Structure formats: C-alpha cells, structure tokens
Amino acid sequence: MARVLRWVLLVAASVAVTVPLTLAGVPSAGLFAALAVGVVLALTALAPAGVPRPAGVVAQGVLGVYIGTMVQHDAFGALGSDWPFVVAIAVATLLLSVFAGALLGLHRDVTPLTGSLALTAGGASGLVAIARDLGGDDRVVSVVQYLRVALVTASMPLVVSFVYHPDTSHPASGVTPSAPAPWYLSVGMLVVLVVVGAAGGRLLRLPGAGLLGPMALTVVLQLTGLSFGLSVPAVLVQVSYFVIGWQAGLAFTAASLRAIARILPAALALIVVLGVSTAGLGVVLAHYTALTPLEGYLATSPGGVYAVLATAVETGSNVTFIIAAQVLRVLLMLFASPLLARAVVWAGRRFSGHKPAMTPASSAPIRVAD
C-alpha cells in the first residue's frame, strides 16, 4: 500500500507542477517537472524505488517517434543549394559541443562521456533519455541540458532586440502542419515503430537503440511521405516525459546533488561560450548564403527550437529554412553524439586512465532490452 501511495504522490505532484510550467511556455515542461519532483521526493525519502526498465524503454521509443515527426516531407528542400553550408555548420556545432563536454569531463565529478552528452547542443529530452543507456549519468545530463535550454531561450529575445534590431511590422506565416491521421491509426503506427525500431536498433547495435531506432524509422516514413499524417497523442508524449524525468530524478541523492552543484559554474561558463560560438557560426552561414544575420543566428541557435520558431515568425524571417536547419541540427546531435561521446571516453581512457562515474547509480546503465 505504501508503494502505491508513493507512486500516487509522484504522479499527482508531477502533474501539478507541469500545468503552470506549460502555461509559462517552458520547453518539455513535463520532463522538467518530473525531474524536479523526483529529486525532491527522492531526497525526502518519499519516492518510489525507481522506474521499471520496460517503462523507460517504451518512453524512449515514444519520444523517438515524436522527435521524428518534426521532419516534414519537403522540409530539407527548403535548404536548396545551401544545404552543404548548413550541414557543415551543424557538424561544427556538434564538434564544439563535444569539445566543451570534454572540458567539462575534466572536472573530478564528471566522466568524459557524461560531459559530452550534457553539453551536446540539441535534443535535450532525447539525450536525457539515452544517457543512462550509454553509461552516462542522466542526473548531470538532465540538469546541464535544461540549464542550456533555459539560458538560450531566455537570452534569445534580448539578443534579437539589442543586436539585430528586427522589423516586426511584417511577420511571416508559420509552417502549415499537414492533416493528422486518426488517433487509432497514429497509435497503431506508434506501437509498431517503437517495437520494430527498438528491436532493429538493438540488432544493429545502434547506441541508444530504444530512442534512435524508432526515430530513424519515423524520419524515413516522413521523408518518403508514407507516414500518413502520423502524430503522437499529446498525452503519450507527456507520460513519456514524466517517465524519463522520473528515471533521472529518483536516482538523486544528497551526495549527487552536492556534486552537481560543484560543476554548475563550469557548466554555465561552457554553455555561454558555446552560445557565443554558435552565434559566430550564424554569421558565417549568413555570409555564404542569402540569409540575413538574424536568420543566420536563428538557424544556428544551440537550442530553444520553439523560441526560434516564434521569433522567426514575428520578425518575418525565412521560417521554412530556419526550421529545416534546426531539425537537421537536432537529428545530427541525437544520432552522432553517442558515437562521438564514446570516442571521447576511449581517448580519455587511453591517454589519462579511466575515471569512475560520479556515483555508483550511474555505473549500471539500463539496457535497451533484457
């Protein structure tokens, strides 16, 4: 009975915190709320023992399909002949992220892999979901990733207003979504994509197969026009956010919280450096394409996709190009960062010896399937 009451308290508190965060426009509010509530209940000994492994795998798959539906059938066509520059900028952003993560990994409380995942500039919720699968500490990854998203989102209006001085008298039209499929068709496709994607990803030894397998299949369906208007029901997205947030939050201890507090100054400094660096990449992108400096900044922003879209519409910018560039960045980060993060770990072990994980809880990664 006590176990049931703990779960009821966890769910009720998470929902209660999610509602105001959603109204305030916080990105992935459910994940952030579940993380915060999980931390509080774990530190007060009122939390359940942990999230069952199958629930974590299913949540990853649902989130993978949800991210995959961001890709529109003709989205990348909007890049036109400028696509090589956009790809080059995205790769440069990835390398900057991994380098910043390697610097964070020099801290005694962070492994190189955890540092790389924590500072990867894109796909915050997805990286939190697969951090433990890859052997990283999802507590550190979740805190630093959401610090990055919060700083980028909060600073964007100030940067746009004081640096670019945009003309907001002629707003652009937003991206017109395609007609969604009936809910029963979407749910049926979702189940198939999660099961087949996770199983296929595991057979192919894909890092983070629970998330990346279903996401890869969904992207293929979107690009080939065979998704039939697939959309993930909002309630399933929220439940997945909750599960992923709880998975990280319930693992917190007083010791791990103190360790994370010690790394926050370094993480904050590296996030600022990463933001300034990507803004510089935006200047380069604008120079070699037909984009304005503002559009270059928005296309290369290291996070805050929803804030980017709103700003692009409000300022009359090239919305289709900017969103295509942002989606490409997120997909590249999610697919490539696990491989590069592992390369960082290999290099660290080879040249400086293996450093143990921050806490014992992060040294036993959850497998994609038992």
Side-chain angles (χ1 to χ4, degrees), residues 1-352:
M1 185 64 180
R3 180 181 180 185
V4 174
L5 290 177
R6 288 173 184 266
W7 275 107
V8 170
L9 175 62
L10 179 64
V11 172
S14 298
V15 172
V17 176
T18 299
V19 173
L21 291 180
T22 301
L23 295 176
V26 175
S28 306
L31 195 156
F32 184 78
L35 171 67
V37 170
V39 171
V40 172
L41 295 185
L43 295 178
T44 55
L46 295 174
V51 176
R53 291 184 179 183
V57 174
V58 172
Q60 289 182 26
V62 172
L63 186 59
V65 175
Y66 176 64
I67 295 173
T69 58
M70 292 173 56
V71 179
Q72 299 298 314
H73 175 58
D74 56 350
F76 296 127
L79 301 179
S81 60
D82 293 328
W83 70 265
F85 298 106
V86 176
V87 171
I89 293 297
V91 171
T93 302
L94 174 63
L95 295 178
L96 283 172
S97 299
V98 173
F99 179 71
L103 292 179
L104 184 61
L106 297 176
H107 196 286
R108 65 186 178 90
D109 293 315
V110 184
T111 64
L113 185 146
T114 296
S116 296
L117 294 175
L119 282 172
T120 297
S125 55
L127 289 168
V128 172
I130 63 175
R132 196 180 298 189
D133 285 352
L134 299 173
D137 193 316
D138 53 357
R139 295 163 294 190
V140 175
V141 174
S142 60
V143 171
V144 176
Q145 279 287 344
Y146 275 90
L147 179 61
R148 172 184 63 82
V149 172
L151 286 177
V152 171
T153 303
S155 64
M156 187 173 299
L158 299 176
V159 173
V160 170
S161 298
F162 292 105
V163 177
Y164 297 101
H165 308 289
D167 178 12
T168 59
S169 60
H170 299 88
S173 58
V175 178
T176 303
S178 57
W183 69 268
Y184 50 85
L185 177 59
S186 288
V187 171
M189 294 180 67
L190 174 64
V191 172
V192 173
L193 288 169
V194 169
V195 173
V196 175
R202 182 169 173 79
L203 288 175
L204 296 174
R205 299 184 181 276
L206 186 68
L211 176 99
L212 300 185
M215 186 171 70
L217 288 181
T218 305
V219 170
V220 171
L221 292 181
Q222 291 285 105
L223 292 177
T224 56
L226 298 177
S227 61
F228 305 107
L230 168 66
S231 62
V232 182
V235 65
L236 296 182
V237 176
Q238 288 299 328
V239 171
S240 298
Y241 279 155
F242 281 170
V243 171
I244 292 167
W246 292 334
Q247 183 174 278
L250 296 179
F252 267 83
T253 62
S256 64
L257 195 63
R258 288 193 295 268
I260 289 176
R262 289 195 294 267
I263 73 172
L264 283 184
L268 180 61
L270 288 169
I271 289 170
V272 172
V273 170
L274 184 61
V276 173
S277 300
T278 54
L281 292 176
V283 173
V284 174
L285 181 63
H287 177 75
Y288 287 102
T289 64
L291 299 179
T292 65
L294 172 59
E295 290 170 338
Y297 165 73
L298 294 176
T300 58
S301 173
V305 174
Y306 297 110
V308 167
L309 175 58
T311 304
V313 172
E314 182 182 352
T315 58
S317 301
N318 189 338
V319 177
T320 307
F321 187 103
I322 290 170
I323 294 303
Q326 285 287 342
V327 169
L328 178 63
R329 173 183 64 84
V330 171
L331 294 179
L332 176 64
M333 297 296 166
L334 287 174
F335 278 111
S337 60
L339 300 176
L340 289 181
R342 286 185 170 181
V344 170
V345 173
W346 176 85
R349 289 176 177 174
R350 184 175 181 85
F351 297 110
S352 61

